[in-house]
Amino acid sequence: MNPIAVMGGGSLGLLLAGRLGAAGTPVELWTRSEEQAERLRREGVAVLEAEGGAAGAGSGSGDDASDRAGASELAVRAKPTAAAAAPVAAMPFGRGGAPRRATVLLAVKQTALTDELLEALSRILAPGSALVCFCNGVGHVERLAEALPGIGLAAAVTTEGALRTDGRTVVHTGKGVTWLGPAPRFDAIPVRDAAMPSPDAMRDIENRLQQAGFTVSLSNIMAERMLRKLLINAVVNPLTALLRVRNGELAATPERLALMRELHGETADILRRCGLPREEELPDGELWDELLDVCARTAANRSSMLQDAMAGRPNEIDAINGAVVRIAKRLGTPAPWNEKIAALARAISSE
């Protein structure tokens, strides 16, 4: 059986690698540091299940979370899976070697997709490789397609919740659903898809993730799924970061709800013009109710952008609200709320 490479040693990367390894799939885990890689080679990936399986301190929405404030308490309450130390072949990304065909699950933030990383990927991956993108926001598919000709790109949208507590341990905070399918490019309207991996490769990825215990389905409406997630992230991430509140506190006051409604309404109007369902195609209030439901189910969470702000790290605003502004400009549509929110979020981002 050919190995699957997981790129990224954060919450989602550890969860994917740990579950795949425990199910018997040979896994390579590409990390940022030699220190983390050495520990993973020595001790393996420890996957813990949060009690009750409910979304807790992790993201619950596929956000790659590492919330130190709640990590220790959650790890104490969590229980190990049947295979608590899944073996992985861990190595720092970029280590030398001849180009080869590989299947890679990309589980990093868009801030990690530097020109240097893309150039390294182009050296490592031979034509015919498959790259499955678990990134938040939009814009990454376009950059990957330009940098990696000959590589099949697939999109993944997941609602799995995960929380990394140290370099080898991840708490599975909420079981979710993962959809795989064509990777849409939003750099032109109408939206078009990047070149995909082969049907056999897609079925193999789906089967291996299912064998690892994930609920996975192939989907041909990935543009809609990505835009629905973008709509939620465009409200929750920047507002929680700017207001310094957890997800559940965002809708706690009339003033915050008013901010949410304005930003949600403007963003939804823009995204409807590139694949988000129109109002008449959905039950009344469905998209707004989806947003409130995410806030309620992940009430104790700190969004990834809030965590970035608290830790002084660069945030993903350019892949979220910044991307909405770029889409609006291509459409010739104003986006004043997204422009202002993006400017404020850039002001608190550490470069």
Side-chain angles (χ1 to χ4, degrees):
M1 181 186 295
N2 293 327
I4 283 184
V6 176
M7 184 172 181
S11 303
L12 184 58
L14 286 177
L15 179 65
L16 290 168
R19 282 291 195 84
L20 286 164
T25 290
V27 178
E28 294 179 5
L29 182 52
W30 298 348
T31 64
R32 182 182 304 171
S33 70
E34 172 59 38
E35 180 183 12
Q36 184 185 17
E38 194 281 330
R39 184 178 182 188
L40 287 164
R41 290 193 297 268
R42 186 177 67 246
E43 302 177 29
V45 178
V47 179
L48 309 180
E49 292 292 333
E51 288 185 350
S59 73
S61 59
D63 233 3
D64 187 42
S66 184
D67 186 348
R68 300 300 181 195
S72 298
E73 179 185 351
L74 185 61
V76 169
R77 291 189 284 110
K79 56 185 179 181
T81 62
V88 295
M91 63 196 73
F93 175 69
R95 178 173 289 178
R100 60 189 173 94
R101 289 184 63 170
T103 296
V104 181
L105 308 184
L106 186 65
V108 299
K109 290 184 177 181
Q110 287 213 41
T111 51
L113 295 180
T114 61
D115 291 342
E116 292 77 14
L117 182 143
L118 295 178
E119 196 276 332
L121 273 175
S122 71
R123 293 196 311 267
I124 292 169
L125 300 180
S129 295
L131 188 63
V132 183
C133 308
F134 282 82
C135 302
N136 272 336
V138 299
H140 55 288
V141 173
E142 294 90 320
R143 294 189 64 209
L144 290 164
E146 296 299 326
L148 303 172
I151 306 301
L153 300 180
V157 171
T158 187
T159 60
E160 296 288 348
L163 173 68
R164 192 182 91 161
T165 61
D166 60 38
R168 68 174 289 263
T169 307
V170 61
V171 180
H172 190 196
T173 57
K175 185 169 176 59
V177 177
T178 300
W179 293 276
L180 305 174
R185 298 181 56 148
F186 294 96
D187 54 347
I189 307 297
V191 173
R192 56 198 171 100
D193 294 330
M196 280 191 68
S198 69
D200 286 345
M202 292 298 295
R203 283 191 292 270
D204 179 62
I205 296 164
E206 178 191 26
N207 290 338
R208 293 212 213 183
L209 289 172
Q210 288 174 340
Q211 290 165 9
F214 296 107
T215 300
V216 182
S217 297
L218 297 180
S219 172
N220 60 3
I221 56 167
M222 291 305 294
E224 177 184 335
R225 296 192 187 282
M226 289 178 67
L227 291 173
R228 280 179 179 254
K229 185 173 182 181
L230 177 61
L231 176 58
I232 291 170
N233 285 343
V235 177
V236 174
N237 276 18
L239 290 183
T240 54
L242 292 167
L243 296 171
R244 294 297 200 271
V245 296
R246 294 177 185 261
N247 292 2
E249 298 171 303
L250 194 54
T253 71
E255 293 79 9
R256 294 174 190 169
L257 271 172
L259 287 175
M260 292 173 68
R261 280 197 177 275
E262 292 288 352
L263 186 54
H264 182 272
E266 176 183 285
T267 305
D269 287 344
I270 293 166
L271 298 185
R272 284 189 184 101
R273 296 180 61 181
C274 54
L276 191 71
R278 297 188 298 272
E279 285 185 279
E280 59 269 24
E281 297 172 326
L282 296 171
D284 286 346
E286 179 175 306
L287 295 176
W288 175 251
D289 290 342
E290 257 181 28
L291 171 63
L292 295 181
D293 179 62
V294 167
C295 290
R297 286 190 294 103
T298 63
N301 298 9
R302 290 187 176 97
S303 73
S304 61
M305 200 172 291
L306 173 56
Q307 293 174 48
D308 289 339
M310 295 172 66
R313 296 189 297 257
N315 62 44
E316 292 185 285
I317 194 66
D318 285 326
I320 301 175
N321 301 81
V324 175
V325 172
R326 292 193 296 275
I327 291 171
K329 286 181 178 178
R330 283 195 290 273
L331 294 168
T333 300
W337 276 94
N338 278 277
E339 287 179 353
K340 291 179 174 63
I341 288 293
L344 289 168
R346 289 188 192 102
I348 63 170
S349 180
S350 174
E351 298 299 340

